[in-house]
Amino acid sequence: MHLLIEKTLRSATAYFQDFFIHEYGRKTYLHSVHPSVKLIGTVFLILLSIGTFDLKKIVLVILAVYILAFNTGLSLLTLARRSILFPIFSVIIVLPVALYGKNFEYLIAFPLRVFSSISSLQLFILTTKFNETLFGLKKLKIPESMLHIIWITYRYTISMFRDLLNVLIARESRRLRRSAHLETLRGGSKSLGLFLLRSFETAERVELAMNSRGKCISYGGRYTSGSLYITYLAGVGIWWMML
Amino acid sequence: MHIPDGYLDLSISLLLWILSGAVLGYSLKKVADSKNINTPLIGVISAAVFAAQMLNWPIPGGTSAHFVGGSLAGILLGPYAGSIAMASVVAIQAFLYGDGGLIALGANLWNMSVVNVFAGWYIFRLIEKHNRFAAAFTSGWIGITAAAVFVGLEVGLSSAFKYSAVVAVSAMGLWHGLLGLIEGFITAGVVGYIHSNRPDIEKYGEAESFGRLPLAIVGIMIILSPVFAYLAEMVGYSEPLENVAEELGLRENQKYSGLFPDYTVPGMNDYIGTLISGAVGVMIFLSLALMRRYAPAD
C-alpha cells in the first residue's frame, strides 16, 4: 500500500503544481484580453498549425506564438517546457513509418504541428485563470449548467484529493505486514469505495451550502476587447496564406 | 488516451464535436429534468473521480497504471449524469493542464465521456442480474478498452497520421485491454463496497427514468461513429485554410522567394500587392509594439 501512496503523491505533486503555474504571477497584455477572444484566437492558431504539412507555415505559427509570448513578458522556457513532451513522444511514434517510407519531411512536420498546437494552447493556459476560461466559454454560449459543474469540479479537486489521501493513509497506518499486488488492489478498491461514499455525503453538504447562498456562481471580470491581439493574429493568418 | 491536436484530421474532429455535443447536450437536459441528480452532486463526484485518477496502482515490473473511472461514473450516477461528470473532468484536463487538444476535445469527450461511460453502463446493466461483481469488472474492463479502440480508430482513419487504422487500433486496444483488467478490478471492488455498505446510493444510477429509445439511439451512434468518421474521411481530406489561400490566388507561386518579393504579393496587381504587404507588416509590428505599450502596469 505504501507504494500506491508514494507513487500517487509523487505524480499528484507534479500535477497540482499546474494549479499554481497556470495562474502566472506577472500580468501581461494577454492577461487583459477578453478570454473568449483568446479562446477563439487559440483555436485559430491551432487551425493554422494543423491545417498544413508545409514546414514554412508550421514554423511561422511557432514563431508567431513564441514572439507573442516573449513580447507579452512570458517565460519562453516555461512555455517550451510545457509543450515539448508530447512532440518528443510523437517523434518516437512516427519514426518507424517515416523511416520505412523514407518520408523525412513528415518526421519533422508531424511533431512540429503537434508542438505548435500545444504551444498555442499552453500560451492560452498561462495567460488565463480558470474562472476566466469559464467566463469565456459562457460568452461563447456553452450551457451554464455545464460550466457550473466544471467549476465545482475544479474547486473541489484538491479537497477531494486530500480526503482520498486521508483514507489511504489511515489504511496504511493499520497495516502490519508487506502486502502483495493483489492485496493492494483489493484494499485500495475498498478505500476508493469508502472515499466515494464520503464524496456523496460531501456533495449533499455542498448542495445545502449552495442553496443557502442562493446558488449564484460568478466568473466575470473586466477585459479589453483585444484588438491588438486580433490584429496580430490577422497579420499572421494572412502571412500564413501567402507562404 | 487524450488525443492532442495534430493527430486527427479536421473533418473527423468536427464530426466528433457534433456527436459529442448531441449526446452531452441531451444528457444535460436529462440531468436538468432529474429529481435525484443535481449540479453539486455531479461536480463533487467529478472532483472525486478526478482525484481518484491520480492514484497510481503499482503493477508487477515496477511500473504503474492509473484509474480512469468512466464506467464507474456511469454505474454510480447513471449514463447521462456519468457522461456529464466525465466531460467535466476531460474539460478541466484540457483547459487547465493542456492534456489533449482543443480541436481534438470533441474526440476526447466522445471517447472518455460517451463511449467509456455508456458502454460501461450498458454492459453493467446487461450482466448485473447474473453476477454483480462480474458485471462491474467487465464494465470497467470493456469500457476503457472500447474507449481506447475508438481512439485508435479515429487516429488511424485520419490521413494526418500515417499508420493504418488496423495498426493504431491494435496498439491502443491490446495495451488498454491489458491495463483495463486493473480498471475492471477496481471498478468491481468499489461497486461491491458501495453495494454492501450503502445500497441506497445506487438510487442515483437506477431511479432515473432513462428511457429505452434515447439509450438505443446513443448506442447506435457509438457503434456507427467509426463509419461516420470513415465517410467524413472519404468525402476528401482537404485543408480549408489552404483552400482559401488557393481561392484568393495567393499560392500560385509555390517557390519561396521571400514573403513579399519586391513588396508585392505574387499573382496580384503590383499596387494592391504593395498595399497588402505594407498593411500586413504594419499590423504585425504595430500590434506587437502596442501590446507592450498598453500592458497593465501590475
Side-chain angles (χ1 to χ4, degrees), chain B residues 270-295:
Chain B
D270 279 1
Y271 294 107
I272 298 172
T274 307
L275 269 176
I276 291 178
S277 65
V280 170
V282 169
M283 271 163 76
I284 292 174
F285 289 107
L286 201 62
S287 53
L288 276 173
L290 288 175
M291 273 182 211
R292 269 183 182 273
R293 171 75 178 77
Y294 291 111

PDB file of all heavy atoms in Angstrom, chain B residues 270-295:
ATOM      1  N   ASP B 270       0.441  44.797 -58.794  1.00  0.00           N
ATOM      2  CA  ASP B 270       1.578  45.308 -58.011  1.00  0.00           C
ATOM      3  C   ASP B 270       1.159  46.323 -56.947  1.00  0.00           C
ATOM      4  O   ASP B 270       1.643  46.293 -55.824  1.00  0.00           O
ATOM      5  CB  ASP B 270       2.595  45.964 -58.956  1.00  0.00           C
ATOM      6  CG  ASP B 270       3.476  44.914 -59.611  1.00  0.00           C
ATOM      7  OD1 ASP B 270       3.242  43.703 -59.318  1.00  0.00           O
ATOM      8  OD2 ASP B 270       4.352  45.271 -60.400  1.00  0.00           O
ATOM      9  N   TYR B 271       0.257  47.233 -57.332  1.00  0.00           N
ATOM     10  CA  TYR B 271      -0.124  48.296 -56.393  1.00  0.00           C
ATOM     11  C   TYR B 271      -0.882  47.707 -55.193  1.00  0.00           C
ATOM     12  O   TYR B 271      -0.617  48.043 -54.044  1.00  0.00           O
ATOM     13  CB  TYR B 271      -0.988  49.353 -57.105  1.00  0.00           C
ATOM     14  CG  TYR B 271      -0.205  50.092 -58.163  1.00  0.00           C
ATOM     15  CD1 TYR B 271      -0.427  49.851 -59.507  1.00  0.00           C
ATOM     16  CD2 TYR B 271       0.795  51.012 -57.797  1.00  0.00           C
ATOM     17  CE1 TYR B 271       0.300  50.502 -60.476  1.00  0.00           C
ATOM     18  CE2 TYR B 271       1.535  51.669 -58.780  1.00  0.00           C
ATOM     19  CZ  TYR B 271       1.286  51.419 -60.121  1.00  0.00           C
ATOM     20  OH  TYR B 271       2.013  52.051 -61.068  1.00  0.00           O
ATOM     21  N   ILE B 272      -1.835  46.805 -55.503  1.00  0.00           N
ATOM     22  CA  ILE B 272      -2.616  46.181 -54.408  1.00  0.00           C
ATOM     23  C   ILE B 272      -1.695  45.315 -53.547  1.00  0.00           C
ATOM     24  O   ILE B 272      -1.769  45.320 -52.314  1.00  0.00           O
ATOM     25  CB  ILE B 272      -3.778  45.336 -54.989  1.00  0.00           C
ATOM     26  CG1 ILE B 272      -4.721  46.246 -55.755  1.00  0.00           C
ATOM     27  CG2 ILE B 272      -4.532  44.603 -53.879  1.00  0.00           C
ATOM     28  CD1 ILE B 272      -5.808  45.531 -56.527  1.00  0.00           C
ATOM     29  N   GLY B 273      -0.783  44.593 -54.224  1.00  0.00           N
ATOM     30  CA  GLY B 273       0.171  43.733 -53.511  1.00  0.00           C
ATOM     31  C   GLY B 273       1.027  44.542 -52.558  1.00  0.00           C
ATOM     32  O   GLY B 273       1.260  44.139 -51.404  1.00  0.00           O
ATOM     33  N   THR B 274       1.499  45.684 -53.022  1.00  0.00           N
ATOM     34  CA  THR B 274       2.333  46.538 -52.162  1.00  0.00           C
ATOM     35  C   THR B 274       1.531  47.028 -50.965  1.00  0.00           C
ATOM     36  O   THR B 274       2.016  47.055 -49.830  1.00  0.00           O
ATOM     37  CB  THR B 274       2.860  47.756 -52.971  1.00  0.00           C
ATOM     38  OG1 THR B 274       3.490  47.271 -54.139  1.00  0.00           O
ATOM     39  CG2 THR B 274       3.831  48.584 -52.158  1.00  0.00           C
ATOM     40  N   LEU B 275       0.290  47.405 -51.244  1.00  0.00           N
ATOM     41  CA  LEU B 275      -0.577  47.870 -50.142  1.00  0.00           C
ATOM     42  C   LEU B 275      -0.774  46.771 -49.100  1.00  0.00           C
ATOM     43  O   LEU B 275      -0.646  47.004 -47.896  1.00  0.00           O
ATOM     44  CB  LEU B 275      -1.950  48.266 -50.707  1.00  0.00           C
ATOM     45  CG  LEU B 275      -2.128  49.721 -51.124  1.00  0.00           C
ATOM     46  CD1 LEU B 275      -3.506  49.906 -51.745  1.00  0.00           C
ATOM     47  CD2 LEU B 275      -1.966  50.651 -49.923  1.00  0.00           C
ATOM     48  N   ILE B 276      -1.066  45.543 -49.600  1.00  0.00           N
ATOM     49  CA  ILE B 276      -1.303  44.424 -48.676  1.00  0.00           C
ATOM     50  C   ILE B 276      -0.045  44.099 -47.888  1.00  0.00           C
ATOM     51  O   ILE B 276      -0.082  43.944 -46.661  1.00  0.00           O
ATOM     52  CB  ILE B 276      -1.800  43.171 -49.439  1.00  0.00           C
ATOM     53  CG1 ILE B 276      -3.206  43.413 -49.963  1.00  0.00           C
ATOM     54  CG2 ILE B 276      -1.784  41.930 -48.538  1.00  0.00           C
ATOM     55  CD1 ILE B 276      -3.781  42.277 -50.776  1.00  0.00           C
ATOM     56  N   SER B 277       1.082  44.011 -48.578  1.00  0.00           N
ATOM     57  CA  SER B 277       2.324  43.656 -47.878  1.00  0.00           C
ATOM     58  C   SER B 277       2.662  44.702 -46.825  1.00  0.00           C
ATOM     59  O   SER B 277       3.081  44.370 -45.713  1.00  0.00           O
ATOM     60  CB  SER B 277       3.475  43.472 -48.869  1.00  0.00           C
ATOM     61  OG  SER B 277       3.759  44.701 -49.506  1.00  0.00           O
ATOM     62  N   GLY B 278       2.437  45.965 -47.167  1.00  0.00           N
ATOM     63  CA  GLY B 278       2.699  47.025 -46.183  1.00  0.00           C
ATOM     64  C   GLY B 278       1.767  46.908 -44.997  1.00  0.00           C
ATOM     65  O   GLY B 278       2.186  46.999 -43.843  1.00  0.00           O
ATOM     66  N   ALA B 279       0.499  46.662 -45.311  1.00  0.00           N
ATOM     67  CA  ALA B 279      -0.502  46.581 -44.230  1.00  0.00           C
ATOM     68  C   ALA B 279      -0.213  45.407 -43.296  1.00  0.00           C
ATOM     69  O   ALA B 279      -0.297  45.546 -42.073  1.00  0.00           O
ATOM     70  CB  ALA B 279      -1.894  46.431 -44.828  1.00  0.00           C
ATOM     71  N   VAL B 280       0.158  44.263 -43.862  1.00  0.00           N
ATOM     72  CA  VAL B 280       0.439  43.084 -43.029  1.00  0.00           C
ATOM     73  C   VAL B 280       1.619  43.354 -42.104  1.00  0.00           C
ATOM     74  O   VAL B 280       1.575  43.075 -40.895  1.00  0.00           O
ATOM     75  CB  VAL B 280       0.710  41.837 -43.906  1.00  0.00           C
ATOM     76  CG1 VAL B 280       1.250  40.687 -43.064  1.00  0.00           C
ATOM     77  CG2 VAL B 280      -0.551  41.396 -44.617  1.00  0.00           C
ATOM     78  N   GLY B 281       2.669  43.935 -42.677  1.00  0.00           N
ATOM     79  CA  GLY B 281       3.857  44.252 -41.869  1.00  0.00           C
ATOM     80  C   GLY B 281       3.521  45.217 -40.750  1.00  0.00           C
ATOM     81  O   GLY B 281       3.876  44.999 -39.579  1.00  0.00           O
ATOM     82  N   VAL B 282       2.789  46.267 -41.098  1.00  0.00           N
ATOM     83  CA  VAL B 282       2.427  47.280 -40.093  1.00  0.00           C
ATOM     84  C   VAL B 282       1.546  46.642 -39.012  1.00  0.00           C
ATOM     85  O   VAL B 282       1.741  46.853 -37.813  1.00  0.00           O
ATOM     86  CB  VAL B 282       1.702  48.475 -40.768  1.00  0.00           C
ATOM     87  CG1 VAL B 282       1.080  49.386 -39.721  1.00  0.00           C
ATOM     88  CG2 VAL B 282       2.682  49.253 -41.621  1.00  0.00           C
ATOM     89  N   MET B 283       0.588  45.799 -39.441  1.00  0.00           N
ATOM     90  CA  MET B 283      -0.325  45.146 -38.483  1.00  0.00           C
ATOM     91  C   MET B 283       0.447  44.358 -37.442  1.00  0.00           C
ATOM     92  O   MET B 283       0.222  44.478 -36.238  1.00  0.00           O
ATOM     93  CB  MET B 283      -1.248  44.167 -39.240  1.00  0.00           C
ATOM     94  CG  MET B 283      -2.522  44.755 -39.751  1.00  0.00           C
ATOM     95  SD  MET B 283      -3.241  43.681 -40.993  1.00  0.00           S
ATOM     96  CE  MET B 283      -3.908  42.399 -40.007  1.00  0.00           C
ATOM     97  N   ILE B 284       1.370  43.526 -37.939  1.00  0.00           N
ATOM     98  CA  ILE B 284       2.093  42.636 -37.028  1.00  0.00           C
ATOM     99  C   ILE B 284       2.963  43.430 -36.067  1.00  0.00           C
ATOM    100  O   ILE B 284       2.893  43.260 -34.842  1.00  0.00           O
ATOM    101  CB  ILE B 284       2.934  41.615 -37.824  1.00  0.00           C
ATOM    102  CG1 ILE B 284       1.991  40.644 -38.555  1.00  0.00           C
ATOM    103  CG2 ILE B 284       3.871  40.840 -36.904  1.00  0.00           C
ATOM    104  CD1 ILE B 284       2.689  39.683 -39.482  1.00  0.00           C
ATOM    105  N   PHE B 285       3.762  44.335 -36.608  1.00  0.00           N
ATOM    106  CA  PHE B 285       4.728  45.019 -35.747  1.00  0.00           C
ATOM    107  C   PHE B 285       4.073  46.064 -34.843  1.00  0.00           C
ATOM    108  O   PHE B 285       4.453  46.213 -33.689  1.00  0.00           O
ATOM    109  CB  PHE B 285       5.851  45.621 -36.587  1.00  0.00           C
ATOM    110  CG  PHE B 285       6.736  44.549 -37.152  1.00  0.00           C
ATOM    111  CD1 PHE B 285       6.690  44.219 -38.492  1.00  0.00           C
ATOM    112  CD2 PHE B 285       7.568  43.819 -36.325  1.00  0.00           C
ATOM    113  CE1 PHE B 285       7.473  43.195 -39.007  1.00  0.00           C
ATOM    114  CE2 PHE B 285       8.357  42.789 -36.821  1.00  0.00           C
ATOM    115  CZ  PHE B 285       8.302  42.483 -38.167  1.00  0.00           C
ATOM    116  N   LEU B 286       3.067  46.763 -35.375  1.00  0.00           N
ATOM    117  CA  LEU B 286       2.383  47.755 -34.549  1.00  0.00           C
ATOM    118  C   LEU B 286       1.636  47.076 -33.400  1.00  0.00           C
ATOM    119  O   LEU B 286       1.674  47.539 -32.260  1.00  0.00           O
ATOM    120  CB  LEU B 286       1.400  48.564 -35.420  1.00  0.00           C
ATOM    121  CG  LEU B 286       1.005  49.924 -34.852  1.00  0.00           C
ATOM    122  CD1 LEU B 286       2.226  50.832 -34.729  1.00  0.00           C
ATOM    123  CD2 LEU B 286      -0.031  50.596 -35.740  1.00  0.00           C
ATOM    124  N   SER B 287       0.962  45.980 -33.721  1.00  0.00           N
ATOM    125  CA  SER B 287       0.217  45.305 -32.649  1.00  0.00           C
ATOM    126  C   SER B 287       1.160  44.773 -31.582  1.00  0.00           C
ATOM    127  O   SER B 287       0.887  44.864 -30.390  1.00  0.00           O
ATOM    128  CB  SER B 287      -0.653  44.179 -33.207  1.00  0.00           C
ATOM    129  OG  SER B 287       0.125  43.309 -33.977  1.00  0.00           O
ATOM    130  N   LEU B 288       2.314  44.255 -32.022  1.00  0.00           N
ATOM    131  CA  LEU B 288       3.298  43.772 -31.042  1.00  0.00           C
ATOM    132  C   LEU B 288       3.787  44.911 -30.156  1.00  0.00           C
ATOM    133  O   LEU B 288       3.888  44.786 -28.932  1.00  0.00           O
ATOM    134  CB  LEU B 288       4.496  43.144 -31.772  1.00  0.00           C
ATOM    135  CG  LEU B 288       4.340  41.687 -32.192  1.00  0.00           C
ATOM    136  CD1 LEU B 288       5.516  41.269 -33.054  1.00  0.00           C
ATOM    137  CD2 LEU B 288       4.237  40.782 -30.982  1.00  0.00           C
ATOM    138  N   ALA B 289       4.096  46.062 -30.807  1.00  0.00           N
ATOM    139  CA  ALA B 289       4.622  47.205 -30.051  1.00  0.00           C
ATOM    140  C   ALA B 289       3.578  47.728 -29.075  1.00  0.00           C
ATOM    141  O   ALA B 289       3.860  48.002 -27.907  1.00  0.00           O
ATOM    142  CB  ALA B 289       5.046  48.303 -31.014  1.00  0.00           C
ATOM    143  N   LEU B 290       2.323  47.822 -29.546  1.00  0.00           N
ATOM    144  CA  LEU B 290       1.274  48.384 -28.685  1.00  0.00           C
ATOM    145  C   LEU B 290       0.915  47.457 -27.534  1.00  0.00           C
ATOM    146  O   LEU B 290       0.499  47.904 -26.479  1.00  0.00           O
ATOM    147  CB  LEU B 290       0.037  48.710 -29.527  1.00  0.00           C
ATOM    148  CG  LEU B 290       0.197  49.917 -30.446  1.00  0.00           C
ATOM    149  CD1 LEU B 290      -1.028  50.087 -31.328  1.00  0.00           C
ATOM    150  CD2 LEU B 290       0.441  51.191 -29.657  1.00  0.00           C
ATOM    151  N   MET B 291       1.079  46.150 -27.748  1.00  0.00           N
ATOM    152  CA  MET B 291       0.798  45.215 -26.661  1.00  0.00           C
ATOM    153  C   MET B 291       1.666  45.533 -25.457  1.00  0.00           C
ATOM    154  O   MET B 291       1.236  45.475 -24.316  1.00  0.00           O
ATOM    155  CB  MET B 291       1.097  43.783 -27.118  1.00  0.00           C
ATOM    156  CG  MET B 291      -0.047  43.121 -27.804  1.00  0.00           C
ATOM    157  SD  MET B 291       0.428  41.462 -28.218  1.00  0.00           S
ATOM    158  CE  MET B 291      -0.507  41.207 -29.693  1.00  0.00           C
ATOM    159  N   ARG B 292       2.926  45.862 -25.725  1.00  0.00           N
ATOM    160  CA  ARG B 292       3.829  46.226 -24.632  1.00  0.00           C
ATOM    161  C   ARG B 292       3.410  47.565 -24.034  1.00  0.00           C
ATOM    162  O   ARG B 292       3.368  47.752 -22.834  1.00  0.00           O
ATOM    163  CB  ARG B 292       5.267  46.353 -25.158  1.00  0.00           C
ATOM    164  CG  ARG B 292       6.024  45.058 -25.052  1.00  0.00           C
ATOM    165  CD  ARG B 292       7.446  45.235 -25.506  1.00  0.00           C
ATOM    166  NE  ARG B 292       8.122  43.944 -25.436  1.00  0.00           N
ATOM    167  CZ  ARG B 292       8.713  43.475 -24.352  1.00  0.00           C
ATOM    168  NH1 ARG B 292       8.735  44.190 -23.263  1.00  0.00           N
ATOM    169  NH2 ARG B 292       9.296  42.297 -24.364  1.00  0.00           N
ATOM    170  N   ARG B 293       3.086  48.492 -24.932  1.00  0.00           N
ATOM    171  CA  ARG B 293       2.771  49.847 -24.507  1.00  0.00           C
ATOM    172  C   ARG B 293       1.554  49.856 -23.573  1.00  0.00           C
ATOM    173  O   ARG B 293       1.515  50.558 -22.575  1.00  0.00           O
ATOM    174  CB  ARG B 293       2.503  50.690 -25.768  1.00  0.00           C
ATOM    175  CG  ARG B 293       1.951  52.067 -25.541  1.00  0.00           C
ATOM    176  CD  ARG B 293       3.027  53.015 -25.021  1.00  0.00           C
ATOM    177  NE  ARG B 293       2.501  54.363 -24.844  1.00  0.00           N
ATOM    178  CZ  ARG B 293       1.738  54.729 -23.833  1.00  0.00           C
ATOM    179  NH1 ARG B 293       1.415  53.862 -22.918  1.00  0.00           N
ATOM    180  NH2 ARG B 293       1.310  55.967 -23.735  1.00  0.00           N
ATOM    181  N   TYR B 294       0.521  49.061 -23.937  1.00  0.00           N
ATOM    182  CA  TYR B 294      -0.716  49.099 -23.184  1.00  0.00           C
ATOM    183  C   TYR B 294      -0.873  47.945 -22.199  1.00  0.00           C
ATOM    184  O   TYR B 294      -1.958  47.703 -21.701  1.00  0.00           O
ATOM    185  CB  TYR B 294      -1.914  49.141 -24.147  1.00  0.00           C
ATOM    186  CG  TYR B 294      -2.006  50.442 -24.888  1.00  0.00           C
ATOM    187  CD1 TYR B 294      -1.759  50.497 -26.253  1.00  0.00           C
ATOM    188  CD2 TYR B 294      -2.291  51.625 -24.217  1.00  0.00           C
ATOM    189  CE1 TYR B 294      -1.820  51.701 -26.945  1.00  0.00           C
ATOM    190  CE2 TYR B 294      -2.342  52.835 -24.897  1.00  0.00           C
ATOM    191  CZ  TYR B 294      -2.118  52.863 -26.263  1.00  0.00           C
ATOM    192  OH  TYR B 294      -2.174  54.045 -26.925  1.00  0.00           O
ATOM    193  N   ALA B 295       0.190  47.229 -21.938  1.00  0.00           N
ATOM    194  CA  ALA B 295       0.096  46.146 -20.964  1.00  0.00           C
ATOM    195  C   ALA B 295      -0.204  46.740 -19.593  1.00  0.00           C
ATOM    196  O   ALA B 295       0.351  47.776 -19.234  1.00  0.00           O
ATOM    197  CB  ALA B 295       1.404  45.381 -20.910  1.00  0.00           C
TER     198      ALA B 295
END
